[in-house]
Amino acid sequence: MSLTVVGSIAFDAVRTPSGSRERMLGGAATHFALAASFFDEVRVVGPVGDDFGEDDMAVLATRGTVTDDVERIAGGRTFFWSGEYAQNLNARETLVTELNVFEHFQPKLSAASRDCDVLFLANIQPELQLRVREQCAGARFVAMDSMDLWINIAHDALMATIRTVDCLILNDEELEMLTGAATTPSAAQQILGWGLKAVVAKQGKYGATLFTPDDAFALPAYPLEHVVDPTGAGDSFAGGFVGYVAAAGDGEISREVLARAMAYGIAISSYNVEEFGTERVARLTADEVAARVDDLHRMTAFTPAPVALRG
Amino acid sequence: MSLTVVGSIAFDAVRTPSGSRERMLGGAATHFALAASFFDEVRVVGPVGDDFGEDDMAVLATRGTVTDDVERIAGGRTFFWSGEYAQNLNARETLVTELNVFEHFQPKLSAASRDCDVLFLANIQPELQLRVREQCAGARFVAMDSMDLWINIAHDALMATIRTVDCLILNDEELEMLTGAATTPSAAQQILGWGLKAVVAKQGKYGATLFTPDDAFALPAYPLEHVVDPTGAGDSFAGGFVGYVAAAGDGEISREVLARAMAYGIAISSYNVEEFGTERVARLTADEVAARVDDLHRMTAFTPAPVALRG
């Protein structure tokens, strides 16, 4: 199996109630790759600038991620994002976004990246996502993320791109914004009507819900007493989720596979927010991932034993 | 077993995106009793006015709820609340609160109500909750709700009352407000440190999380495409949760019992919001409750099958 991700590789500056970082490795493709690399060989497609160091590239290559298609733009600077989180960590304000090398990025995929079985289009301009999606015509499972910005300023391109993928992974409020629906389940049903196989609503500190044409599956987030930095949580979730699907083989993507994929996504994203940026997931072990999935199972499992209900 | 609830019995006026009602039966004790009555004989303690009709009393008495301690105040008017919900239904504005007969209410419990095994102190002034709690000294499980108003204007009385109960059931944001903690798990741990056996964080449309000294248990809400009126959802949840605990017998209140109680709470509250006020739960059947618990089980169950994680 092989898994390709296209998206931002970035430097982030963040301020949270726990502290701050002036420049840390980040970006959607980075967080996705670090999580997905537990399951499959990941190929990352995206541009970086002259300022992207060998040590940054080494983190990106954790657990064998292939960086052949990370394009270094001579004279360019790496994408930069800066943000500040509110006290309760569920709201954040973007302070600075410098597209830099992303401004004129034209994704060029090697044959190996194009031949992927599974493709993830991380949050970038929907036109770029569509161009990559078209190059990976043989992928058996294609998932994508997006954000409120594109819903507002590139609605038609986003709609066209969504209709070419199998699975949309989006924040619950963005699903409602995209469709105008009053509830997330109603938004998801509308999107499934466009021909998608699955829609995943990311619910921040509350967990995530998966909608398929016939059913739903939901898990709460792993309860953490201390959250240091939520940056990249959604992309770590997507990495665990899509990575598990990629590793589950080339058979039918069953409900059981998708449910387990949800658990791996939630487990890895819960580690992501325990420290700044990629710090925690870069040194995460397979045993720790498995232990948290087991915890999550114990914390959600119940048996609906018969009780004599009064009529 | 026997279960007593003290709290408001009210008329509500609400406006939601789905429509409005000028006067419907409501109140925390009412919603709690309708839900809990699936599990045990419920005794309701609270005042009503001359305007409380026989038809209202009949709804309150659904499934055998005992209304002997519903005190009719001659010349008084029933508690009245009016509110309006935002488009996404997760925020609401209180327009009118008329305490009416509640203003000078002194709870008088019959011997049967005092002798309860399980007691629920619905959201009223913490001083009244404490007075009732002291009258029910033999109860083996006492749970309570509260609200932001009392955290702000009756903080000390609320703290004193909380320390006398086994279980606090509160909105997640109110748990954080009460303790000053940045996360709900941290708030819950702080409160458990006061000697409680359990803390339940109600998370609105996202579900609920139970914290015990040793562990946590969480369930998402049942995914509903259409929500008509969230009024009473929290009290319906509490009714299902506490009702199940009451029905589970007089043995140890195990983790397994509490987990199932969470599922029944979420199942019944999901029906509550499908129609206005008590309309849906008043005609709910035991089979429907059991079916939704089964649905919730199917929608959250996964097996953490071994996957060969890359190291």
Side-chain angles (χ1 to χ4, degrees), chain B residues 258-283:
Chain B
L258 290 171
R260 269 186 220 132
M262 290 277 288
Y264 279 98
I266 282 178
I268 298 177
S269 71
S270 76
Y271 281 115
N272 176 286
V273 304
E274 288 184 353
E275 297 183 21
F276 279 98
T278 60
E279 291 168 14
R280 183 68 183 89
V281 179
R283 65 164 203 281

Side-chain angles (χ1 to χ4, degrees), chain A residues 37-38 40 63 172 183 189 206 215-218 225 255 260 264 297-299 301-303 305 307 310-311, chain B residues 37-38 40 63 172 183 189 206 215-218 225 255 260 264 297-299 301-303 305 307 310-311:
Chain A
S37 62
F38 279 106
D40 206 346
R63 283 179 291 276
D172 58 348
T183 66
Q189 286 310 317
Y206 295 112
D215 211 345
F217 177 84
E225 282 191 53
R255 174 185 170 71
R260 269 187 219 132
Y264 280 98
H297 180 257
R298 190 191 72 246
M299 289 181 177
F302 71 97
T303 49
V307 56
R310 302 167 80 239
Chain B
S37 63
F38 279 106
D40 205 345
R63 285 179 289 276
D172 58 348
T183 66
Q189 287 309 317
Y206 295 113
D215 211 346
F217 177 83
E225 281 191 53
R255 174 185 171 72
R260 269 186 220 132
Y264 279 98
H297 181 256
R298 190 190 71 246
M299 289 180 177
F302 71 97
T303 49
V307 57
R310 301 165 82 238

Side-chain angles (χ1 to χ4, degrees), chain A residues 97-116:
Chain A
T97 304
E98 295 173 5
L99 287 178
N100 296 334
V101 294
F102 249 96
E103 201 164 355
H104 301 292
F105 174 57
Q106 295 297 333
K108 290 180 274 295
L109 279 66
S110 61
S113 289
R114 279 198 307 271
D115 283 350
C116 60

Side-chain angles (χ1 to χ4, degrees), chain B residues 242-253:
Chain B
V242 176
Y244 186 86
V245 170
D250 56 4
E252 190 209 356
I253 298 169

Side-chain angles (χ1 to χ4, degrees), chain A residues 4-258:
Chain A
T4 295
V5 55
V6 60
S8 61
I9 302 160
F11 290 125
D12 292 340
V14 298
R15 184 174 297 275
T16 84
S18 299
S20 64
R21 288 289 186 278
E22 286 309 307
R23 192 181 105 144
M24 63 189 192
L25 178 61
T30 304
H31 286 289
F32 178 93
L34 278 169
S37 62
F38 279 106
F39 304 94
D40 206 346
E41 185 175 85
V42 181
R43 292 176 176 270
V44 179
V45 178
V48 297
D50 290 330
D51 52 349
F52 200 77
E54 286 310 311
D55 49 338
D56 301 313
M57 199 68 93
V59 174
L60 194 57
T62 300
R63 283 179 291 276
T65 289
V66 179
T67 58
D68 298 353
D69 285 357
V70 175
E71 190 181 354
R72 194 182 289 275
I73 310 288
R77 286 175 60 81
T78 300
F79 181 101
F80 178 77
W81 176 84
S82 157
E84 184 166 354
Y85 287 85
Q87 187 62 35
N88 73 2
L89 292 165
N90 237 36
R92 79 175 182 195
E93 188 189 355
T94 289
L95 301 176
V96 178
T97 304
E98 295 173 5
L99 287 178
N100 296 334
V101 294
F102 249 96
E103 201 164 355
H104 301 292
F105 174 57
Q106 295 297 333
K108 290 180 274 295
L109 279 66
S110 61
S113 289
R114 279 198 307 271
D115 283 350
C116 60
D117 295 299
V118 172
L119 172 66
F120 183 64
L121 308 167
N123 172 34
I124 44 171
Q125 296 96 306
E127 296 85 351
L128 289 183
Q129 292 178 311
L130 186 57
R131 217 163 297 155
V132 173
R133 199 272 169 266
E134 286 167 347
Q135 291 180 55
C136 301
R140 67 183 176 90
F141 185 76
V142 181
M144 69 179 280
D145 188 13
S146 189
M147 72 184 293
D148 50 1
L149 175 70
W150 310 122
I151 297 173
N152 289 325
I153 71 167
H155 192 269
D156 292 353
L158 177 59
M159 295 291 274
T161 305
I162 291 172
R163 285 169 187 273
T164 72
V165 304
D166 301 296
C167 176
L168 175 63
I169 302 174
L170 207 60
N171 291 334
D172 58 348
E173 289 174 0
E174 291 167 344
L175 288 170
E176 294 168 18
M177 188 190 302
L178 178 68
T179 57
T183 66
T184 301
S186 169
Q189 286 310 317
Q190 202 172 313
I191 295 164
L192 289 169
W194 304 341
L196 280 74
K197 292 182 190 132
V199 171
V200 177
K202 294 184 285 185
Q203 298 158 327
K205 66 178 176 182
Y206 295 112
T209 303
L210 163 77
F211 298 90
T212 53
D214 301 324
D215 211 345
F217 177 84
L219 285 177
Y222 183 84
L224 288 171
E225 282 191 53
H226 301 289
V227 173
V228 169
D229 173 21
T231 310
D235 298 304
S236 295
F237 167 82
F241 178 81
V242 176
Y244 186 86
V245 170
D250 56 3
E252 189 209 355
I253 299 170
S254 68
R255 174 185 170 71
E256 207 177 348
V257 165
L258 290 172

